[in-house]
Amino acid sequence: MSKFDQIQEIIKKLPVAFGVEEVALEDAYNRILRENVVADMDMPPFHKSAMDGYACRLEDIENSLEVLEVIQAGSFPKIIPGKNQCVKIMTGAAVPNGCDCVFKVEDSEEVDSKHVKCTNPKTAKNICYQGEDYQKNEVLIEEGTIINTPQMAVLAGAGYSRVKVTKQPLISVIATGSELVEPARTPKPGQIRNSNTSQLVSQLRQMNLRVVDKLMLADDFELLTATFLKALINSDFVIFTGGASVGDFDFIPEILKEQEFKFYWDNTGIKPGNPMTFSEKKGKYVIGLSGNPVSSLAQFEMIAKPAIYQLMGANYSPLRILGAMAFDFTRKKADRIAVIPVIIDSEGLISEIPFHGSAHINALVSANALLEVPLNINTIKKGDNAHVRPL
Ligand code: AMP
Ligand code: MG
């Protein structure tokens, strides 16, 4: 099993670490559901007309029919039509007992002021039957679902004006590197702008997570330790970028060891982005991402995101699409899973874009997916199938 697959197994076993809170339905979008949503009634709750037309008995479809009343959506029929009788009915209105067919207005002709006739005796029945969408007590949405637009509609339809969701974890982001300056500054020789914080904050925001504290620190062991410990007090997660590797000033793993954090992994088996730590102490989690922007992006997308979702009790499985290669891919070493920025088009064709490696974040501006190159695979030929993950 690849290191990356081992990590996915570890992630699946992480506990649900965050509690539950109740929010108003309007605030539930993109939160994680922490209760099963159960139907309190059948849907539709009554036999409902699918058309504007006339409700009658199918056996009378070829006859002239007496029109007894008009039933509007929202009202309930009072009269039960008998032989050669019908009611005029609107879309969404309840079909009267005894009627097993609705023929459309377009399929009707007036016989006189009180009678109509169906001009299409082969009409469909045009009835949505009670309980055909779901039945009372059915589980409509399972606990752990990430609430998207359809779930919002189903929650509303099932009467969930308040919804149990996972409490929002408190997250601090610390960008480390003595070379970093804020985006508003012009870097002096040897310096670069901090792009990882903006990148990471947006990845978290896409998960509907907010960052409580954003810090940028030089590679100074004492300063990093002190600031980290302070940030930890008000955080459930601390996410570092930079200093994750084995360079002279890569202090993050060392600090975590000194603070007796338990390591779940310290490398990922993906390229770019091998050095990454995931550690925990007393229910607080620390994620140490690489400094290189593409590495950090890939580590978050492929590993940190599923791990955070797991800890939040979400059933998350990233979308992967099987496409066809529009170019030949080759690499010398195949000892890690590679992720390569690519473009996948509407036909599923995967095209190459210029990419120089882990620092080349600009390449991702035109990419819309990451190509996954499996372990021990050196070449993927033009026309072969391969998996991509949409970005
Ligand atoms: P590190 O992981 O600290 O060894 O950093 C690897 C590379 O990523 C170096 O070239 C850093 O300058 C760059 N880097 C580190 N942190 C950031 C950041 N916050 N924004 C942009 N580049 C970074
Ligand atoms: Mg560094």
Side-chain angles (χ1 to χ4, degrees), residues 174-181 190-199 216 219 241-247 249-252 275 289-296 358-359 361:
I174 307 180
T176 71
S178 299
E179 72 280 32
L180 301 178
V181 298
Q191 297 182 323
I192 56 161
R193 291 196 176 99
N194 168 19
S195 64
N196 283 350
T197 300
S198 307
Q199 174 179 303
M216 195 182 81
D219 296 310
T241 77
S245 192
V246 290
F249 298 95
D250 289 339
F251 293 134
I252 305 308
L289 302 174
S290 289
N292 269 312
V294 181
S295 307
S296 163
S358 58
I361 194 68

Side-chain angles (χ1 to χ4, degrees), residues 158-216:
Y160 281 68
S161 61
R162 298 193 65 76
V163 187
K164 291 191 173 72
V165 297
T166 303
K167 273 190 194 148
Q168 293 289 54
L170 305 174
I171 303 173
S172 294
V173 167
I174 307 180
T176 71
S178 299
E179 72 280 32
L180 301 178
V181 298
E182 295 291 0
R185 298 247 320 266
T186 303
K188 296 200 180 86
Q191 297 182 323
I192 56 161
R193 291 196 176 99
N194 168 19
S195 64
N196 283 350
T197 300
S198 307
Q199 174 179 303
L200 192 50
V201 166
S202 74
Q203 286 178 301
L204 290 162
R205 186 173 289 189
Q206 192 262 336
M207 298 169 72
N208 197 16
L209 299 175
R210 301 280 152 166
V211 172
V212 292
D213 214 356
K214 283 176 268 183
L215 300 158
M216 195 182 81

Side-chain angles (χ1 to χ4, degrees), residues 22 38 50 59 94 177 191 196 238 248 253 255 283 297 325-326 336 354 367 369 381:
E22 215 175 68
V38 179
E59 61 187 43
Q191 297 182 323
N196 283 350
V238 174
D248 287 354
I255 290 172
L297 184 142
M325 297 285 282
R336 285 189 265 158
K381 288 217 152 52

Side-chain angles (χ1 to χ4, degrees), residues 32 142-146 309-310 313-317:
I32 294 150
E142 289 198 4
E143 180 171 358
T145 302
I146 302 167
Y309 268 143
Q310 174 71 24
N315 296 328
Y316 169 70
S317 51

Side-chain angles (χ1 to χ4, degrees), residues 94 131 142 220 225 296 321 353:
E142 289 198 4
D220 172 323
T225 304
S296 163
I321 300 171
I353 54 172

